[in-house]
Amino acid sequence: MTVASILISIVLVTIITKSCSSSALSRARSLETPQVKAIEGGETEHLDFWQNHEDLLQQAWKEWGKEQQENLPGLDDDTIVMDPNIVQRTHQLRDNPSMLLESAFQREFWSDEQIPNVYSCPSFLSPTGIRRLRQHLTASSQAKIPTRRPNGMNRYGLVLDDETQGGVSYPEMDNFRHWLVTDYVRPMARMLFPEWIGSHDDDENHYAFTIHYKKGEEQNNNNKNNTTKTDVQLKEHTDASVVTINININLPQEDADEEDYYEGSDLLFFNEDSGERHSIKFEPGMAVIHRGLHRHQALPIQKGERHQLIIWLFGRDGYVRILPYDKEEQLTVTERWSKDERETRRAQASTSLFEL
């Protein structure tokens, strides 16, 4: 075999190898994302597509995350994602948990919405935190990797999960999600709903997603297979969670771009005691936390767009506690604010996985 033929063979092998091992990111981007239609029962819509491409999409997000490491901001306490006052009080409770501190924290930051088991915090995420998170979400939406609808009723948004087929999962986002749940959402839920979360088994898992409402020209929301290109409202429903936190990630008006302005889209909660419905004006940066089984809805948006981050807490394999714990069965204040060993192991496992 001549030198020329050897060189040709090497080149051909290299070309074939590169072709066979083309990046998962490029292969994922070549897929055609299935069109979402159903506004009810959409959990399994196009399930075959997401199952068939699960491994490819996960690998594509890993590659994309590495590419974006230098382009996207950090998301943690050091980058002021949370309201700094909430960060300070939360750290105090972790270091020195007491009923007195817990009661003061609840009075200062979580307003009772005059409906049992519904609370609101007017400034949960800081404007800086919202802006940084939105940078990540915008970049993820523009990554050209197929993403799955957030849930069975909302069609537009992102699943932020490393275990759900079609979810967005890369180190910075996964770390943010675990950090937000472990350090803030889970202990706050235990504080506000002690009769429903009486064991670490009741809230050990979570599911995070974003949803996007936008005023559209067509609003035929009575159709189960609505073909409008936007979601404008959400009918009354319950969540598959023991506790849900709903965070408005629009920017406050003084910091917002024009597309962040919106009108309408209030949250409506059903008062099971009185039979009345109570609306909450859902302001930018605000968080509303409630029992998942509490019936609620989103009223139609009248102008502009609204963006939300929602996190469901539940037990293993989707278990949702429906019976209240007796007083003596409830977690102590120390147990509410301590990190369960399983949470620490999950965080360590996630970090190790990202270093591979």
Side-chain angles (χ1 to χ4, degrees):
M1 183 178 288
T2 65
V3 173
S5 61
I6 292 174
L7 289 175
I8 291 172
S9 298
I10 293 173
V11 170
L12 287 174
V13 169
T14 301
I15 292 173
I16 292 171
T17 302
K18 285 185 176 180
S19 175
C20 293
S21 61
S22 62
S23 76
L25 182 56
S26 63
R27 283 182 283 139
R29 284 172 168 168
S30 70
L31 298 173
E32 184 176 351
T33 305
Q35 183 180 6
V36 293
K37 293 183 178 181
I39 61 170
E40 288 183 39
E43 295 90 345
T44 58
E45 190 174 42
H46 308 300
L47 182 59
D48 288 347
F49 175 88
W50 302 113
Q51 290 178 334
N52 292 339
H53 297 100
E54 179 179 9
D55 293 340
L56 173 63
L57 295 177
Q58 287 179 344
Q59 188 58 43
W61 281 115
K62 277 187 180 180
E63 291 181 17
W64 183 85
K66 288 181 181 178
E67 284 186 2
Q68 299 298 318
Q69 281 179 342
E70 303 300 322
N71 301 328
L72 293 172
L75 297 171
D76 52 33
D77 276 348
D78 295 332
T79 55
I80 324 177
V81 170
M82 301 290 299
D83 181 292
N85 295 314
I86 293 178
V87 172
Q88 181 183 14
R89 300 297 190 278
T90 301
H91 286 183
Q92 289 174 349
L93 275 162
R94 282 215 180 275
D95 295 338
N96 185 28
S98 71
M99 293 293 292
L100 188 63
L101 276 177
E102 197 178 59
S103 297
F105 176 67
Q106 183 172 340
R107 285 195 308 271
E108 185 174 357
F109 293 102
W110 290 99
S111 302
D112 189 332
E113 284 291 339
Q114 301 179 343
I115 306 173
N117 297 315
V118 179
Y119 303 90
S120 65
C121 175
S123 180
F124 189 75
L125 292 183
S126 69
T128 300
I130 293 173
R131 189 176 291 105
R132 287 172 174 267
L133 178 57
R134 289 280 295 276
Q135 281 182 257
H136 278 264
L137 297 174
T138 298
S140 299
S141 298
Q142 296 173 350
K144 298 181 180 178
I145 302 172
T147 55
R148 192 171 185 171
R149 62 183 297 155
N151 57 58
M153 298 176 72
N154 292 102
R155 297 172 297 168
Y156 302 103
L158 299 171
V159 175
L160 307 178
D161 192 80
D162 55 349
E163 296 182 357
T164 299
Q165 298 152 350
V168 173
S169 173
Y170 57 95
E172 190 68 42
M173 182 58 72
D174 288 346
N175 285 336
F176 163 72
R177 180 169 48 82
H178 284 290
W179 162 80
L180 183 64
V181 170
T182 301
D183 285 15
Y184 295 97
V185 176
R186 187 176 282 123
M188 289 179 189
R190 292 171 179 174
M191 172 187 72
L192 295 169
F193 304 95
E195 65 271 46
W196 306 106
I197 304 177
S199 162
H200 290 175
D201 293 332
D202 297 325
D203 62 357
E204 68 172 271
N205 288 332
H206 68 272
Y207 178 71
F209 56 94
T210 67
I211 56 178
H212 178 208
Y213 293 106
K214 182 178 181 180
K215 172 68 175 177
E217 294 181 2
E218 302 175 59
Q219 298 186 31
N220 184 14
N221 287 299
N222 294 320
N223 247 333
K224 289 189 176 181
N225 289 311
N226 193 335
T227 57
T228 59
K229 295 182 179 180
T230 62
D231 284 333
V232 297
Q233 65 180 336
L234 192 64
K235 74 175 193 175
E236 192 174 289
H237 65 285
T238 60
D239 299 331
S241 66
V242 63
V243 170
T244 294
I245 188 167
N246 190 343
I247 307 166
N248 187 324
I249 53 173
N250 278 58
L251 284 163
Q253 191 173 43
E254 62 270 20
D255 298 308
D257 296 326
E258 186 174 347
E259 62 266 20
D260 252 22
Y261 296 144
Y262 71 93
E263 295 177 3
S265 200
D266 289 356
L267 302 181
L268 194 67
F269 285 86
F270 178 68
N271 189 328
E272 297 175 352
D273 293 337
S274 67
E276 298 177 347
R277 285 172 171 77
H278 177 72
S279 65
I280 299 175
K281 188 170 177 58
F282 200 30
E283 301 285 0
M286 180 179 185
V288 175
I289 191 168
H290 59 89
R291 282 193 67 208
L293 295 179
H294 199 129
R295 299 196 67 81
H296 57 286
Q297 68 185 91
L299 297 177
I301 191 166
Q302 303 298 330
K303 177 183 178 182
E305 304 180 28
R306 193 178 81 197
H307 304 267
Q308 295 165 236
L309 169 64
I310 297 175
I311 300 171
W312 293 347
L313 297 179
F314 48 86
R316 184 176 301 175
D317 299 324
Y319 164 72
V320 174
R321 176 82 183 190
I322 59 173
L323 293 176
Y325 285 94
D326 293 333
K327 187 74 174 178
E328 61 272 13
E329 297 178 300
Q330 296 174 13
L331 295 173
T332 66
V333 64
T334 300
E335 290 171 329
R336 288 196 285 270
W337 290 93
S338 65
K339 292 184 181 180
D340 182 48
E341 289 183 5
R342 287 167 296 183
E343 297 170 6
T344 304
R345 287 199 299 269
R346 280 197 294 269
Q348 291 172 343
S350 297
T351 303
S352 300
L353 180 62
F354 298 146
E355 291 173 349
L356 293 178

